[in-house]
Amino acid sequence: EPEVTQTPSHQVTQMGQEVILRCVPISNHLYFYWYRQILGQKVEFLVSFYNNEISEKSEIFDDQFSVERPDGSNFTLKIRSTKLEDSAMYFCASSGPTVSNQPQHFGDGTRLSIL
Amino acid sequence: DAKTTQPTSMDCAEGRAANLPCNHSTISGNEYVYWYRQIHSQGPQYIIHGLKNNETNEMASLIITEDRKSSTLILPHATLRDTAVYYCIVRVSREYGNKLVFGAGTILRVKS
């Protein structure tokens, strides 16, 4: 069964450094998402992306965050200058190929630890 | 999107059916009911979804009441591996911005 893959599984970064989290969505999906989960808290929506544009973003997704689909297979989340409070699990999801009621499928996440 | 209410936790004996309720009394006509689960710290796993009719797949069954104000997820023969947090999410299907809003969910503990 096709799945969403995320790399790395664990990323440790110094505060203030840039970090890029990578995702390979399911191949025929057209809608892409990032969510995060701070330890012990709920899963929170960050951003959705379609047709090379952000279609919706939450208030968490400020100017320090950006997303990109650099090629036909990868979908990345960049945090420009990391803060301690960015430490969390980051989940990528994809859905499609049509929008309708297609469910989102999630990867197993990247654990980001900011020191 | 409509708000959902789920019990905080439930226990189920291994091999028995697990019935997880969800209340969504403010659901509107074009909102779907989705169920996901999260095992330990893994990514949320899609289980099933429906609009009006009951649905069944290889993982579970979804029973939606006729007035659509509540639903029940049924795992027919729960195993220890079904121990997880189960999320009931109600969501309109839009052309864009189909974000999922996760609540606290129900912690299901399957016991031997």
Side-chain angles (χ1 to χ4, degrees), chain A residues 35 37 56 99-101 104, chain B residues 34 36 38 93-94 97-98:
Chain A
Y35 293 79
Q37 187 174 32
E56 187 176 5
V99 58
S100 186
N101 61 349
Q104 295 174 28
Chain B
Y34 288 80
Y36 282 79
Q38 189 174 25
S93 182
R94 304 182 183 89
N98 286 311

Side-chain angles (χ1 to χ4, degrees), chain B residues 11 16 29-30 42-43 51 58 62 65 72 75 88 91 98:
Chain B
D11 290 340
R16 304 298 293 268
N30 60 349
Q42 295 177 20
L51 182 62
E58 66 279 3
L62 173 60
T65 57
T72 301
L75 307 179
C88 169
R91 197 198 76 186
N98 286 311

Side-chain angles (χ1 to χ4, degrees), chain A residues 31 33 35 37 42-43 45 48 50 55-56 89 91 99-109 111, chain B residues 32 34 36 38 41-46 49 87 91 93-104:
Chain A
Y31 300 84
Y33 310 84
Y35 293 79
Q37 187 174 32
K42 299 175 186 177
V43 177
F45 167 77
S48 59
Y50 168 71
S55 46
E56 187 176 5
M89 284 291 292
F91 297 110
V99 58
S100 186
N101 61 349
Q102 297 294 308
Q104 295 174 28
H105 295 272
F106 287 75
D108 274 338
R111 179 174 301 282
Chain B
Y32 287 80
Y34 288 80
Y36 282 79
Q38 189 174 25
S41 291
Q42 295 177 20
Q45 179 188 22
Y46 165 74
H49 73 285
Y87 301 101
R91 197 198 76 186
S93 182
R94 304 182 183 89
E95 186 172 0
Y96 305 113
N98 286 311
K99 67 182 181 186
L100 294 171
V101 178
F102 288 82

Side-chain angles (χ1 to χ4, degrees), chain B residues 6 10 18 24 44 49 61 67 72 84 89 103:
Chain B
Q6 298 179 252
M10 295 180 64
H24 31 79
H49 73 285
S61 294
D67 64 7
T72 301
I89 300 170

Side-chain angles (χ1 to χ4, degrees), chain B residues 1-96:
Chain B
D1 295 330
K3 185 178 174 180
T4 62
T5 305
Q6 298 179 252
T8 303
S9 65
M10 295 180 64
D11 290 340
C12 176
E14 190 178 20
R16 304 298 293 268
N19 296 283
L20 292 97
C22 179
N23 184 290
H24 31 79
S25 57
T26 60
I27 194 169
S28 58
N30 60 349
E31 289 183 307
Y32 287 80
V33 180
Y34 288 80
W35 283 85
Y36 282 79
R37 72 181 182 184
Q38 189 174 25
I39 296 172
H40 196 46
S41 291
Q42 295 177 20
Q45 179 188 22
Y46 165 74
I47 302 173
I48 199 166
H49 73 285
L51 182 62
K52 296 179 187 175
N53 300 321
N54 298 337
E55 302 287 344
T56 295
N57 63 20
E58 66 279 3
M59 287 182 70
S61 294
L62 173 60
I63 308 298
I64 302 174
T65 57
E66 195 169 336
D67 64 7
R68 301 186 70 241
K69 292 185 177 182
S70 66
S71 61
T72 301
L73 177 74
I74 301 172
L75 307 179
H77 305 287
T79 71
L80 298 178
R81 286 176 295 181
D82 291 321
T83 293
V85 181
Y86 286 77
Y87 301 101
C88 169
I89 300 170
V90 172
R91 197 198 76 186
V92 174
S93 182
R94 304 182 183 89
E95 186 172 0
Y96 305 113

